[in-house]
Amino acid sequence: MVEVDGIVTSIVYKNDDNGYTVAKIKCEQDMENYSIVGYMHYLSEGQRVHIKGEWTYHKSFGKQIKVDSFEEILPTTLEGVEKYLASGLINGIGPVTAKKIIKAFGEKALDIIEMNPERLTEVEGIGSRKAKKIGESLKEQRELKEIMIFLQSHGITPSYGIKIFKKYGAASITVLRENPYSLCEDIQGIGFKTADKIAKSLGMNVNSPFRIASGIKYVLSTAVGNGHVYLPKEECIKKSAAELKVDASLIGEGINTLNLNRDIVVDEVEEVTCIYLSPMFFSEVKSAKKIVELTLNRIDVETEKVDIEIKDFEKENNISFAPEQIDAIKEGVKNGVCVITGGPGTGKTTIIKCIIKIFENRSLNVCLCAPTGRAAKRMSESTGYEAKTIHRLLQVEFISDSDRNTFAKDENEPIEADVIIVDEASMIDVMLMNSLLKAMSSTTRLILVGDVDQLPSVGPGNVLLDIIESGGIAVARLQHIFRQSMESLITINAHKINNGDMPILNEKDKDFFFLQNNSADGIIKEIANLVNVRLPKFKKDLDRMKDIQVLSPMKKGEAGIIHLNNALQEILNPKSPSKTEKKVGEYILRVGDKVMQTKNNYQLTWESLTIEGEEGSGIFNGDIGYIERINTEDSKAYIIFDEDKRVEYDFSSLDEIELAYAITIHKSQGSEFPVCIIPVFYGPPMLMTRNLIYTGVTRAKSFLVLIGVKQTLSTMIKNKTITKRYSSLKNRIKNFCEVIK
């Protein structure tokens, strides 16, 4: 730890949103000039400050002090006060005005500005409006400083401190003392755990109603993060009491209060008392109601004419549909809502194309969409029609004041479409489904296409499965594999795995291979060798970076993506003096790295590299890109997504980025890669399941290699365990269907 006093001579860079600053300081101890870097929102040129931090060395800028904390040293001499006033720190005062103020009030100038700013009108050239502005500026500086010191003393980082000050202003300390748990509701990124630490440091009672209420919502939010739409009341009470370490009776009282305030909803489903966060409840109920409403939109179609159109399509495309595929086309054409589900090679894409053609013959407007950018891109490439992400179709808008997003398309301004076809529907959670349904007029038809045997959505709910199992919606199940797909062992083995059978392995001149290796280190080394040597040698036109994707069942663990990414980065993009890098979390990010966005960020803007002047916003969870440039002086990184979209990241946003040489199978949903490598190693039984390995296998387009323990593969295929998700969409659809009968 180093402590120095000095004068800020210049501000090199400042991010006004989070306070990250690079500045120059003249150190009073040795009269040397140093760079200081850190979160210092209220730092200005001319300030005298006391700095605490650590010496670091930057390869371009030399010796620096990485600031942990700092405080302003107010001047005590006449000369010091004048310099302080002339520094520009206080709005409305420059060098000339500073001299006049010092001449009028001497060393008492700062006290007068703060306590009696109206007296500034005694100075020539300062009117009442300017005097008020100067007083408010100094007051805001002092308030911000006091609040930041208070927040930092309670473990709140400067970046969050700025957000808190922007939200609550001068009342920040008062709000936190009264109810620190309000941070969970008002400040994006601050959760219950952080608020609870602050509350503890402020001496708040552990049985406080504020704490109980916030803790219950935290437990429900955690459940939502694990895929649940609600928790049974008994489980909610048990988990909340354990988390908060309080008596269960207090949780019961808290649930009643939250229910009265409509922060949560208590509802009976199938004789079970269910506790919902309000948005979850209304998303589920409204989704069920709208789905049933759309089913009433049945269309009378001329069966003979449709039969002719299907035969014409078969002739034009030189194909022959199986009976179940013809049934799927007809179900999609005649129903207000229809689900088409099937595994790889069952012709879902061809069926979609035929349905679109039939609708086009009737001059109907068809919109295609998918939950992710990569899935939408695949849909466009495979059908030949434009497909959008659901977010783009709904015209997502970011609300900067609340750090949240909304959709321009809703019940007041619905999507202009006669038919909406959604691919990869297994990835849709209940919140997104509600937003999509809300933006559909009652006459629009909905066709959901997906593989119900894949992993469920990352978000809450079991939407596709619930719709299918409700019994009230038309469902077309595809099992027949097309002749050309029968040539691929990837397709054949995916169906074998889904049926609980071991796949066919290592047939010559085929596309599905298994390499036995019993150690995690051996698996990682073998994967590195495959990526770097064997596969590029075997397939000459293979791009090691773009065409090969490693998929792991786990993030952590011996064969998890963290270890794999570090090993693959060392081979594919090794450290070099010519490549700037930045340490972020568990990874070092380096120019040239393959990376992934890990959360939806609607605020990020991008510019097109191929179409001059084209811009857009929104980079989404699962988007893969490559680091083009890292600028440590400006604290910026530039990443190219989809080979065309350049995005500028502030260093403070890089926690949303991680290496993507290896990604989890969960993150691969909706994607397809030319070559996939999957480590099959020991892991938790709840994770190592049939639908996980099935999902991973179906991501490979032309070549797949499994590496690991054959017994583990066999165990996964036998493990049909599907973690139960609390969701009542199925029951609600059933109930609404009974009402309209």
Side-chain angles (χ1 to χ4, degrees), residues 162-193:
I162 298 304
K163 290 185 177 182
I164 292 168
F165 181 75
K166 285 182 176 180
K167 177 67 179 178
Y168 304 128
S172 296
I173 295 174
T174 303
V175 170
L176 264 63
R177 287 193 185 280
E178 288 179 356
N179 180 16
Y181 299 99
S182 61
L183 295 173
C184 303
E185 306 291 333
D186 297 336
I187 309 298
Q188 183 81 355
I190 293 185
F192 172 77
K193 295 283 190 181

mmCIF file of all heavy atoms in Angstrom, residues 162-193:
data_model
loop_
_atom_site.group_PDB
_atom_site.id
_atom_site.type_symbol
_atom_site.label_atom_id
_atom_site.label_comp_id
_atom_site.label_asym_id
_atom_site.label_seq_id
_atom_site.Cartn_x
_atom_site.Cartn_y
_atom_site.Cartn_z
ATOM 1 N N ILE A 162 -21.936 5.777 -7.809
ATOM 2 C CA ILE A 162 -22.422 6.800 -8.743
ATOM 3 C C ILE A 162 -23.872 6.519 -9.117
ATOM 4 O O ILE A 162 -24.707 7.430 -9.176
ATOM 5 C CB ILE A 162 -21.540 6.831 -10.010
ATOM 6 C CG1 ILE A 162 -20.101 7.208 -9.640
ATOM 7 C CG2 ILE A 162 -22.100 7.802 -11.032
ATOM 8 C CD1 ILE A 162 -19.970 8.514 -8.893
ATOM 9 N N LYS A 163 -24.202 5.242 -9.371
ATOM 10 C CA LYS A 163 -25.585 4.895 -9.699
ATOM 11 C C LYS A 163 -26.530 5.249 -8.552
ATOM 12 O O LYS A 163 -27.641 5.737 -8.766
ATOM 13 C CB LYS A 163 -25.694 3.395 -10.011
ATOM 14 C CG LYS A 163 -25.050 2.969 -11.316
ATOM 15 C CD LYS A 163 -25.308 1.495 -11.586
ATOM 16 C CE LYS A 163 -24.719 1.068 -12.927
ATOM 17 N NZ LYS A 163 -25.012 -0.357 -13.222
ATOM 18 N N ILE A 164 -26.073 4.989 -7.320
ATOM 19 C CA ILE A 164 -26.894 5.294 -6.144
ATOM 20 C C ILE A 164 -27.107 6.791 -6.023
ATOM 21 O O ILE A 164 -28.228 7.259 -5.780
ATOM 22 C CB ILE A 164 -26.232 4.718 -4.865
ATOM 23 C CG1 ILE A 164 -26.267 3.193 -4.905
ATOM 24 C CG2 ILE A 164 -26.924 5.240 -3.606
ATOM 25 C CD1 ILE A 164 -25.408 2.521 -3.853
ATOM 26 N N PHE A 165 -26.035 7.560 -6.216
ATOM 27 C CA PHE A 165 -26.152 9.017 -6.111
ATOM 28 C C PHE A 165 -27.081 9.565 -7.203
ATOM 29 O O PHE A 165 -27.892 10.466 -6.951
ATOM 30 C CB PHE A 165 -24.775 9.672 -6.211
ATOM 31 C CG PHE A 165 -24.816 11.174 -6.094
ATOM 32 C CD1 PHE A 165 -25.020 11.785 -4.866
ATOM 33 C CD2 PHE A 165 -24.667 11.980 -7.215
ATOM 34 C CE1 PHE A 165 -25.073 13.165 -4.756
ATOM 35 C CE2 PHE A 165 -24.717 13.361 -7.120
ATOM 36 C CZ PHE A 165 -24.924 13.952 -5.874
ATOM 37 N N LYS A 166 -26.968 9.015 -8.417
ATOM 38 C CA LYS A 166 -27.836 9.488 -9.500
ATOM 39 C C LYS A 166 -29.307 9.182 -9.217
ATOM 40 O O LYS A 166 -30.197 9.923 -9.629
ATOM 41 C CB LYS A 166 -27.416 8.848 -10.826
ATOM 42 C CG LYS A 166 -26.140 9.433 -11.404
ATOM 43 C CD LYS A 166 -25.798 8.793 -12.744
ATOM 44 C CE LYS A 166 -24.566 9.458 -13.363
ATOM 45 N NZ LYS A 166 -24.207 8.856 -14.670
ATOM 46 N N LYS A 167 -29.566 8.070 -8.510
ATOM 47 C CA LYS A 167 -30.940 7.679 -8.203
ATOM 48 C C LYS A 167 -31.518 8.495 -7.046
ATOM 49 O O LYS A 167 -32.640 9.005 -7.130
ATOM 50 C CB LYS A 167 -30.979 6.185 -7.860
ATOM 51 C CG LYS A 167 -32.352 5.673 -7.444
ATOM 52 C CD LYS A 167 -33.336 5.708 -8.596
ATOM 53 C CE LYS A 167 -34.702 5.177 -8.172
ATOM 54 N NZ LYS A 167 -35.691 5.256 -9.270
ATOM 55 N N TYR A 168 -30.754 8.620 -5.957
ATOM 56 C CA TYR A 168 -31.300 9.212 -4.737
ATOM 57 C C TYR A 168 -30.805 10.626 -4.447
ATOM 58 O O TYR A 168 -31.368 11.314 -3.593
ATOM 59 C CB TYR A 168 -30.966 8.334 -3.523
ATOM 60 C CG TYR A 168 -31.432 6.909 -3.624
ATOM 61 C CD1 TYR A 168 -30.545 5.852 -3.405
ATOM 62 C CD2 TYR A 168 -32.747 6.599 -3.925
ATOM 63 C CE1 TYR A 168 -30.957 4.533 -3.473
ATOM 64 C CE2 TYR A 168 -33.176 5.277 -4.012
ATOM 65 C CZ TYR A 168 -32.277 4.250 -3.781
ATOM 66 O OH TYR A 168 -32.695 2.950 -3.854
ATOM 67 N N GLY A 169 -29.703 11.046 -5.121
ATOM 68 C CA GLY A 169 -29.179 12.390 -4.906
ATOM 69 C C GLY A 169 -28.746 12.627 -3.467
ATOM 70 O O GLY A 169 -28.160 11.744 -2.819
ATOM 71 N N ALA A 170 -29.058 13.794 -2.943
ATOM 72 C CA ALA A 170 -28.630 14.166 -1.595
ATOM 73 C C ALA A 170 -29.246 13.275 -0.525
ATOM 74 O O ALA A 170 -28.748 13.226 0.607
ATOM 75 C CB ALA A 170 -28.999 15.624 -1.327
ATOM 76 N N ALA A 171 -30.337 12.570 -0.865
ATOM 77 C CA ALA A 171 -31.012 11.709 0.115
ATOM 78 C C ALA A 171 -30.406 10.309 0.188
ATOM 79 O O ALA A 171 -30.931 9.447 0.906
ATOM 80 C CB ALA A 171 -32.493 11.605 -0.238
ATOM 81 N N SER A 172 -29.292 10.070 -0.528
ATOM 82 C CA SER A 172 -28.722 8.721 -0.620
ATOM 83 C C SER A 172 -28.465 8.094 0.744
ATOM 84 O O SER A 172 -28.873 6.959 1.015
ATOM 85 C CB SER A 172 -27.418 8.750 -1.426
ATOM 86 O OG SER A 172 -27.648 9.145 -2.753
ATOM 87 N N ILE A 173 -27.789 8.825 1.617
ATOM 88 C CA ILE A 173 -27.443 8.268 2.927
ATOM 89 C C ILE A 173 -28.706 8.013 3.738
ATOM 90 O O ILE A 173 -28.842 6.968 4.394
ATOM 91 C CB ILE A 173 -26.474 9.211 3.681
ATOM 92 C CG1 ILE A 173 -25.137 9.285 2.925
ATOM 93 C CG2 ILE A 173 -26.248 8.724 5.109
ATOM 94 C CD1 ILE A 173 -24.153 10.288 3.504
ATOM 95 N N THR A 174 -29.651 8.933 3.688
ATOM 96 C CA THR A 174 -30.914 8.776 4.426
ATOM 97 C C THR A 174 -31.664 7.536 3.965
ATOM 98 O O THR A 174 -32.150 6.735 4.780
ATOM 99 C CB THR A 174 -31.810 10.018 4.227
ATOM 100 O OG1 THR A 174 -31.094 11.170 4.651
ATOM 101 C CG2 THR A 174 -33.102 9.886 5.024
ATOM 102 N N VAL A 175 -31.755 7.355 2.634
ATOM 103 C CA VAL A 175 -32.458 6.191 2.089
ATOM 104 C C VAL A 175 -31.807 4.900 2.549
ATOM 105 O O VAL A 175 -32.492 3.962 2.982
ATOM 106 C CB VAL A 175 -32.485 6.243 0.540
ATOM 107 C CG1 VAL A 175 -33.001 4.933 -0.047
ATOM 108 C CG2 VAL A 175 -33.347 7.405 0.063
ATOM 109 N N LEU A 176 -30.489 4.845 2.490
ATOM 110 C CA LEU A 176 -29.783 3.628 2.873
ATOM 111 C C LEU A 176 -29.915 3.329 4.355
ATOM 112 O O LEU A 176 -30.027 2.164 4.750
ATOM 113 C CB LEU A 176 -28.305 3.713 2.475
ATOM 114 C CG LEU A 176 -27.968 3.044 1.128
ATOM 115 C CD1 LEU A 176 -28.692 3.732 -0.010
ATOM 116 C CD2 LEU A 176 -26.480 3.052 0.879
ATOM 117 N N ARG A 177 -29.907 4.352 5.171
ATOM 118 C CA ARG A 177 -30.058 4.129 6.619
ATOM 119 C C ARG A 177 -31.464 3.615 6.945
ATOM 120 O O ARG A 177 -31.639 2.770 7.818
ATOM 121 C CB ARG A 177 -29.781 5.413 7.395
ATOM 122 C CG ARG A 177 -28.303 5.796 7.425
ATOM 123 C CD ARG A 177 -28.048 6.880 8.461
ATOM 124 N NE ARG A 177 -26.680 7.352 8.426
ATOM 125 C CZ ARG A 177 -25.642 6.716 8.993
ATOM 126 N NH1 ARG A 177 -25.853 5.572 9.616
ATOM 127 N NH2 ARG A 177 -24.436 7.229 8.922
ATOM 128 N N GLU A 178 -32.468 4.130 6.219
ATOM 129 C CA GLU A 178 -33.851 3.715 6.484
ATOM 130 C C GLU A 178 -34.126 2.308 5.951
ATOM 131 O O GLU A 178 -34.736 1.486 6.622
ATOM 132 C CB GLU A 178 -34.829 4.703 5.851
ATOM 133 C CG GLU A 178 -34.891 6.042 6.568
ATOM 134 C CD GLU A 178 -35.853 7.008 5.892
ATOM 135 O OE1 GLU A 178 -36.415 6.649 4.826
ATOM 136 O OE2 GLU A 178 -36.024 8.117 6.417
ATOM 137 N N ASN A 179 -33.691 2.047 4.708
ATOM 138 C CA ASN A 179 -33.955 0.747 4.096
ATOM 139 C C ASN A 179 -32.937 0.436 3.012
ATOM 140 O O ASN A 179 -33.152 0.711 1.834
ATOM 141 C CB ASN A 179 -35.362 0.707 3.489
ATOM 142 C CG ASN A 179 -35.665 -0.640 2.830
ATOM 143 O OD1 ASN A 179 -34.974 -1.631 3.060
ATOM 144 N ND2 ASN A 179 -36.695 -0.672 2.006
ATOM 145 N N PRO A 180 -31.787 -0.146 3.392
ATOM 146 C CA PRO A 180 -30.758 -0.462 2.387
ATOM 147 C C PRO A 180 -31.236 -1.470 1.344
ATOM 148 O O PRO A 180 -30.662 -1.572 0.265
ATOM 149 C CB PRO A 180 -29.614 -1.045 3.226
ATOM 150 C CG PRO A 180 -30.238 -1.465 4.504
ATOM 151 C CD PRO A 180 -31.387 -0.541 4.748
ATOM 152 N N TYR A 181 -32.317 -2.196 1.653
ATOM 153 C CA TYR A 181 -32.814 -3.195 0.712
ATOM 154 C C TYR A 181 -33.519 -2.572 -0.490
ATOM 155 O O TYR A 181 -33.821 -3.257 -1.473
ATOM 156 C CB TYR A 181 -33.741 -4.183 1.434
ATOM 157 C CG TYR A 181 -33.012 -4.927 2.523
ATOM 158 C CD1 TYR A 181 -33.113 -4.524 3.856
ATOM 159 C CD2 TYR A 181 -32.185 -6.001 2.221
ATOM 160 C CE1 TYR A 181 -32.420 -5.189 4.858
ATOM 161 C CE2 TYR A 181 -31.490 -6.676 3.211
ATOM 162 C CZ TYR A 181 -31.598 -6.261 4.536
ATOM 163 O OH TYR A 181 -30.898 -6.911 5.517
ATOM 164 N N SER A 182 -33.773 -1.253 -0.412
ATOM 165 C CA SER A 182 -34.340 -0.569 -1.578
ATOM 166 C C SER A 182 -33.373 -0.610 -2.755
ATOM 167 O O SER A 182 -33.780 -0.481 -3.911
ATOM 168 C CB SER A 182 -34.688 0.883 -1.230
ATOM 169 O OG SER A 182 -33.533 1.594 -0.829
ATOM 170 N N LEU A 183 -32.078 -0.814 -2.467
ATOM 171 C CA LEU A 183 -31.077 -0.920 -3.534
ATOM 172 C C LEU A 183 -31.398 -2.078 -4.475
ATOM 173 O O LEU A 183 -31.150 -2.001 -5.681
ATOM 174 C CB LEU A 183 -29.676 -1.118 -2.942
ATOM 175 C CG LEU A 183 -29.097 0.032 -2.120
ATOM 176 C CD1 LEU A 183 -27.784 -0.405 -1.474
ATOM 177 C CD2 LEU A 183 -28.872 1.261 -2.990
ATOM 178 N N CYS A 184 -31.942 -3.170 -3.924
ATOM 179 C CA CYS A 184 -32.255 -4.346 -4.746
ATOM 180 C C CYS A 184 -33.274 -4.007 -5.823
ATOM 181 O O CYS A 184 -33.237 -4.557 -6.928
ATOM 182 C CB CYS A 184 -32.798 -5.478 -3.870
ATOM 183 S SG CYS A 184 -31.720 -5.983 -2.530
ATOM 184 N N GLU A 185 -34.205 -3.112 -5.504
ATOM 185 C CA GLU A 185 -35.263 -2.754 -6.434
ATOM 186 C C GLU A 185 -34.817 -1.659 -7.408
ATOM 187 O O GLU A 185 -35.210 -1.651 -8.570
ATOM 188 C CB GLU A 185 -36.495 -2.239 -5.661
ATOM 189 C CG GLU A 185 -37.004 -3.185 -4.593
ATOM 190 C CD GLU A 185 -37.616 -4.447 -5.173
ATOM 191 O OE1 GLU A 185 -38.112 -4.386 -6.313
ATOM 192 O OE2 GLU A 185 -37.591 -5.490 -4.494
ATOM 193 N N ASP A 186 -33.986 -0.742 -6.908
ATOM 194 C CA ASP A 186 -33.733 0.496 -7.651
ATOM 195 C C ASP A 186 -32.422 0.528 -8.424
ATOM 196 O O ASP A 186 -32.288 1.309 -9.372
ATOM 197 C CB ASP A 186 -33.745 1.691 -6.685
ATOM 198 C CG ASP A 186 -35.105 1.884 -6.036
ATOM 199 O OD1 ASP A 186 -36.104 1.436 -6.619
ATOM 200 O OD2 ASP A 186 -35.163 2.469 -4.943
ATOM 201 N N ILE A 187 -31.427 -0.260 -8.019
ATOM 202 C CA ILE A 187 -30.103 -0.185 -8.638
ATOM 203 C C ILE A 187 -29.778 -1.496 -9.335
ATOM 204 O O ILE A 187 -29.596 -2.531 -8.679
ATOM 205 C CB ILE A 187 -29.012 0.151 -7.597
ATOM 206 C CG1 ILE A 187 -29.397 1.379 -6.767
ATOM 207 C CG2 ILE A 187 -27.671 0.349 -8.298
ATOM 208 C CD1 ILE A 187 -29.565 2.655 -7.567
ATOM 209 N N GLN A 188 -29.724 -1.444 -10.664
ATOM 210 C CA GLN A 188 -29.392 -2.629 -11.453
ATOM 211 C C GLN A 188 -28.009 -3.137 -11.070
ATOM 212 O O GLN A 188 -27.036 -2.395 -11.055
ATOM 213 C CB GLN A 188 -29.421 -2.271 -12.944
ATOM 214 C CG GLN A 188 -29.172 -3.439 -13.881
ATOM 215 C CD GLN A 188 -30.412 -4.283 -14.094
ATOM 216 O OE1 GLN A 188 -31.430 -4.056 -13.478
ATOM 217 N NE2 GLN A 188 -30.318 -5.262 -14.968
ATOM 218 N N GLY A 189 -27.916 -4.433 -10.731
ATOM 219 C CA GLY A 189 -26.617 -5.026 -10.406
ATOM 220 C C GLY A 189 -26.384 -5.207 -8.925
ATOM 221 O O GLY A 189 -25.477 -5.941 -8.514
ATOM 222 N N ILE A 190 -27.176 -4.533 -8.074
ATOM 223 C CA ILE A 190 -27.038 -4.715 -6.625
ATOM 224 C C ILE A 190 -28.136 -5.664 -6.167
ATOM 225 O O ILE A 190 -29.326 -5.391 -6.338
ATOM 226 C CB ILE A 190 -27.131 -3.376 -5.860
ATOM 227 C CG1 ILE A 190 -25.924 -2.497 -6.204
ATOM 228 C CG2 ILE A 190 -27.176 -3.625 -4.352
ATOM 229 C CD1 ILE A 190 -25.850 -1.209 -5.422
ATOM 230 N N GLY A 191 -27.726 -6.783 -5.603
ATOM 231 C CA GLY A 191 -28.684 -7.787 -5.168
ATOM 232 C C GLY A 191 -28.825 -7.845 -3.663
ATOM 233 O O GLY A 191 -28.252 -7.040 -2.918
ATOM 234 N N PHE A 192 -29.581 -8.842 -3.224
ATOM 235 C CA PHE A 192 -29.887 -8.964 -1.798
ATOM 236 C C PHE A 192 -28.630 -9.149 -0.955
ATOM 237 O O PHE A 192 -28.510 -8.575 0.128
ATOM 238 C CB PHE A 192 -30.839 -10.148 -1.582
ATOM 239 C CG PHE A 192 -31.066 -10.472 -0.129
ATOM 240 C CD1 PHE A 192 -31.918 -9.691 0.638
ATOM 241 C CD2 PHE A 192 -30.408 -11.534 0.474
ATOM 242 C CE1 PHE A 192 -32.125 -9.977 1.986
ATOM 243 C CE2 PHE A 192 -30.601 -11.830 1.809
ATOM 244 C CZ PHE A 192 -31.462 -11.046 2.569
ATOM 245 N N LYS A 193 -27.691 -9.958 -1.429
ATOM 246 C CA LYS A 193 -26.485 -10.242 -0.632
ATOM 247 C C LYS A 193 -25.719 -8.964 -0.318
ATOM 248 O O LYS A 193 -25.280 -8.739 0.809
ATOM 249 C CB LYS A 193 -25.577 -11.213 -1.399
ATOM 250 C CG LYS A 193 -26.159 -12.587 -1.621
ATOM 251 C CD LYS A 193 -26.091 -13.439 -0.379
ATOM 252 C CE LYS A 193 -26.453 -14.883 -0.667
ATOM 253 N NZ LYS A 193 -26.424 -15.719 0.542
#
